[in-house]
Amino acid sequence: MSEPGLKLLRLTLGRFRNYASLRWQPEGRLLVISGPNGSGKTNLLEAISYLAPGRGMRGARVADVAQGGTGAWAVNGRLATQEGPTEIGTGTTDENVDRRVFRLDGAAPRNQAELAQRVASVWLTPQMDRLFLEGASGRRRFLDRLVYALEPGNARTVAAHDTAMAERRRLLAEPRWEASWLAGLEDEMARHAVAVTAARADLIAQLDAALAGGIAGDFPAARLDLLCPIAARLTEAPALAVEDWLRAEFEAARPRDAATGSAAMGAHRADLAMADLATGLPAAQASTGQQKALLIGVVLGHAALLAQARGGAPLLLLDEPAVHLDLKRRTALFAALAALPAQVFLTGTDAEVFAPLAGQATFWRTGGEGLYADPEYK
Amino acid sequence: MGGPEIERLVALLAKLPGFGPRSARRAALKLLQQPELRMLPLAVALAEAARATKACGECGNLDSRDPCSICADLHRDRHLVCVVEQVGDLWALERAHVHRGLYHVLGGTLSALAGQRPEDLSLHPLLARLEAGGVTEVILALGATVDGATTAHWLTDRLKSFDVAITRVGQGVPMGGALDVLDDGTLAAALRTRRAV
């Protein structure tokens, strides 16, 4: 197996969640972290997720991840990347515990996209077992994380779309509307909505083709679909024509959007559908274990696709991946992970579940504010 | 630390753009170590600049003269007016020597979320200049942000009754940049603002 293009070499934590201080050198490509409930396994994955821009794996408030929920915190990672070794630091300061700051190789990065070019991570958490039973926003966030790993600039486009939408909502709440100001915001929404949708559709097309080609190994292949009227239009008309259509839609929807306090159309209305490619069974109708297997297949396929397309897969953070998987699927998961050119962090309460990875993975245990090599798998 | 005077100095420095508490302490220490060499000349320069500088009544630039040295320069092309958000943008364009016409500083951009409304922007001096005649082109050099683009759209609408060409600075492929590394939004902007060669 070739070395992954992106690899975490060292992780340092200060006052992060249950870790007062930690310095860890994650040796190897596959890392199994086990320990009892509440011992800090997920906190480690969350800390790694903070090395990339965004709200982290739990989507927590910035101030809340500090030890005891007060004061400043810090996460620092040294990574091997395609462009060479990189050091990324993030956290808060005593002066402002609500604002997260970044350091890239010792200096403030120009923008967050610069960070996203260096490091990307994709995660699966037990909460995502309900991804296809709950609202569309979680599925959209999941999809966008996959897109950002391929197109880091897309995060800025999504943010610009959402800013224009929030400004439009604020203007529509006023008793008199300034039409030219609204039209300017709708122009921005249309431009960014089309760009966001095109990037999402492109990723899904690539991923569907790769999954159908068996990129996820023995894992069940999913078929993904983007449910979005903008995406449907993009299959029939050039992007600039779709922007014109959207602008007209936004203008016509002003009275309705003013009444509802939202926008009936936009990139924020997209949804991700997923079904088992072999059986056609939609994820929402599948069992929890089947859904989890499909999601894992997507994440593995995405990592392999990125390794092919960009030469480097994102860091994979799999929190309790073995839960809900039967023996056959666990075996398939471990076989797929062994073949994947990505650094993978796995957690579980019981290290024994991951015993088939002995010899390929390094094993670690959490407990007592610390992390140490698992003596049973040395 | 070193007493209330130094604390106050550090607190004031820390409010400047690009400074934080730590860099403000470093700067204060550097100033205090050789006050005759750095601090006192700086204090005199600050006081003189504060006394002499004013906003130009015609374009909004900061200068010791009103009209500013750009508006008063008879060699500038008075048919062209370049609209910028802030004085810093005007200075950036001047440093690059790319615009030989006049300027207009809006003083910000529209932002519903930040409460920045049309009446908060400096528009009347620009309208007065257009009404006086002689201007043939207004160049909108606003940021490629949501607020910059929205303000450009709004301003275009406000200026369309005048007999002037309204143009925007180009957006898209950066100098020395390759197409295949651009995001979809930038590519679309580049295609939208294409021009004949």
Side-chain angles (χ1 to χ4, degrees):
Chain A
M1 181 73 277
S2 61
E3 275 294 293
L6 176 64
K7 199 170 165 189
L8 180 64
L9 304 174
R10 192 189 65 216
L11 182 71
T12 313
L13 307 182
R15 301 198 68 256
F16 185 86
R17 298 281 190 191
N18 67 316
Y19 295 98
S21 157
L22 177 81
R23 188 182 167 90
W24 179 40
Q25 288 182 298
E27 293 152 19
R29 194 174 60 75
L30 301 177
L31 298 107
V32 174
I33 304 155
S34 65
N37 293 332
S39 61
K41 304 183 294 295
T42 307
N43 295 344
L44 275 178
L45 301 197
E46 186 186 27
I48 297 169
S49 75
Y50 272 122
L51 294 174
R55 295 189 64 196
M57 200 171 90
R58 285 187 171 113
R61 278 184 52 230
V62 169
D64 289 349
V65 302
Q67 196 174 34
T70 60
W73 57 271
V75 172
N76 184 284
R78 184 170 173 76
L79 299 121
T81 73
Q82 295 282 81
E83 290 80 27
T86 284
E87 196 150 321
I88 294 175
T90 185
T92 59
T93 59
D94 286 324
E95 284 84 14
N96 190 349
V97 296
D98 293 314
R99 187 168 159 261
R100 192 172 151 213
V101 291
F102 286 98
R103 305 293 284 176
L104 177 61
D105 294 326
R110 274 177 302 159
N111 51 48
Q112 298 208 351
E114 197 181 359
L115 281 171
Q117 293 283 359
R118 307 281 185 98
V119 60
S121 54
V122 171
W123 54 81
L124 281 181
T125 65
Q127 289 72 32
M128 289 167 66
D129 291 348
R130 299 185 56 77
L131 195 65
F132 287 90
L133 303 176
E134 294 178 342
S137 63
R139 292 187 286 278
R140 211 165 39 244
R141 278 199 302 274
F142 172 68
L143 171 62
D144 281 340
R145 268 198 305 283
L146 301 182
V147 175
Y148 299 162
L150 190 66
E151 293 288 347
N154 206 49
R156 210 170 36 189
T157 315
V158 171
H161 170 272
D162 292 352
T163 300
M165 185 170 67
E167 298 227 7
R168 177 177 179 267
R169 188 168 56 230
R170 179 71 64 91
L171 281 191
L172 286 176
E174 295 182 358
R176 275 190 63 242
W177 303 334
E178 174 134 2
S180 54
W181 188 354
L182 268 177
L185 289 169
E186 287 162 358
D187 183 58
E188 282 296 283
M189 273 181 76
R191 287 198 306 114
H192 291 116
V194 168
V196 167
T197 307
R200 287 171 178 164
D202 182 48
L203 185 271
I204 286 181
Q206 288 189 53
L207 204 45
D208 275 345
L211 289 168
I215 201 167
D218 291 336
F219 237 71
R223 180 188 159 76
L224 304 176
D225 277 303
L226 186 59
L227 307 179
C228 168
I230 305 169
R233 284 264 168 173
L234 279 172
T235 61
E236 301 160 357
L240 298 186
V242 179
E243 285 182 19
D244 291 340
W245 165 74
L246 257 181
R247 272 187 281 270
E249 289 284 311
F250 289 141
E251 187 180 344
R254 284 177 194 171
R256 186 184 49 186
D257 289 348
T260 59
S262 65
M265 179 75 84
H268 63 297
R269 294 287 181 188
D271 196 359
L272 172 70
M274 190 167 78
D276 188 311
L277 181 64
T279 64
L281 183 70
Q285 294 170 28
S287 74
T288 312
Q290 285 172 315
Q291 285 183 39
K292 184 148 191 168
L294 286 171
L295 267 182
I296 290 175
V298 168
V299 169
L300 297 179
H302 175 262
L305 181 69
L306 253 78
Q308 284 175 10
R310 287 185 54 170
L315 301 174
L316 292 191
L317 313 175
L318 307 183
D319 193 17
E320 303 275 7
V323 174
H324 299 306
L325 294 186
D326 57 28
L327 180 61
K328 184 178 155 210
R329 291 220 164 95
R330 280 208 301 272
T331 308
L333 172 63
F334 298 150
L337 290 180
L340 200 64
Q343 193 180 29
V344 190
F345 298 81
L346 306 120
T347 69
T349 47
D350 186 3
E352 238 175 79
V353 175
F354 301 97
L357 289 175
Q360 302 173 76
T362 57
F363 286 70
W364 305 83
R365 270 201 196 169
T366 50
E369 278 189 25
L371 178 71
Y372 52 93
D374 191 330
E376 294 193 21
Y377 291 91
K378 271 191 169 175
Chain B
M1 226 165 56
E5 296 84 2
I6 297 176
E7 291 289 348
R8 183 157 175 266
L9 174 63
V10 170
L12 287 171
L13 286 171
K15 287 181 182 160
L16 296 175
F19 275 77
R22 199 172 295 174
S23 48
R25 277 196 294 275
R26 275 205 304 273
L29 190 60
K30 195 76 182 170
L31 290 168
L32 288 163
Q33 279 169 341
Q34 286 176 297
E36 294 81 12
L37 194 63
R38 296 194 177 91
M39 196 167 199
L40 296 177
L42 178 65
V44 170
L46 286 171
E48 282 179 357
R51 190 174 53 247
T53 306
K54 49 191 110 95
C56 172
E58 292 187 20
C59 74
N61 185 20
L62 290 176
D63 202 324
S64 53
R65 314 165 47 174
D66 183 12
C68 70
S69 46
I70 294 174
C71 286
D73 184 349
L74 296 176
H75 297 294
R76 311 276 309 200
D77 185 345
R78 312 189 84 77
H79 299 103
L80 291 177
V81 175
C82 181
V83 179
V84 294
E85 290 175 23
Q86 301 290 358
V87 174
D89 303 324
L90 185 161
W91 290 358
L93 284 164
E94 280 298 288
R95 275 200 309 274
H97 300 290
V98 288
H99 175 62
R100 296 305 301 157
L102 303 177
Y103 291 95
H104 180 77
V105 180
L106 268 185
T109 52
L110 294 178
S111 171
L113 295 175
Q116 185 97 333
R117 308 187 56 81
E119 54 271 28
D120 300 319
L121 302 183
S122 166
L123 184 62
H124 292 298
L126 175 63
L127 299 180
R129 192 175 251 173
L130 297 182
E131 276 161 10
V135 176
T136 55
E137 182 179 351
V138 174
I139 305 165
L140 304 182
L142 306 178
T145 59
V146 168
D147 290 339
T150 303
T151 306
H153 197 284
W154 166 81
L155 202 52
T156 304
D157 198 59
R158 292 294 305 264
L159 302 183
K160 69 183 178 196
S161 59
F162 292 95
D163 185 22
V164 293
I166 302 169
T167 56
R168 265 191 90 175
V169 289
Q171 293 175 0
V173 185
M175 298 284 281
L179 281 185
D180 63 347
V181 296
L182 295 183
D183 62 89
D184 294 354
T186 307
L187 269 177
L191 204 61
R192 198 180 300 106
T193 56
R194 69 190 183 277
R195 61 183 175 84
V197 290

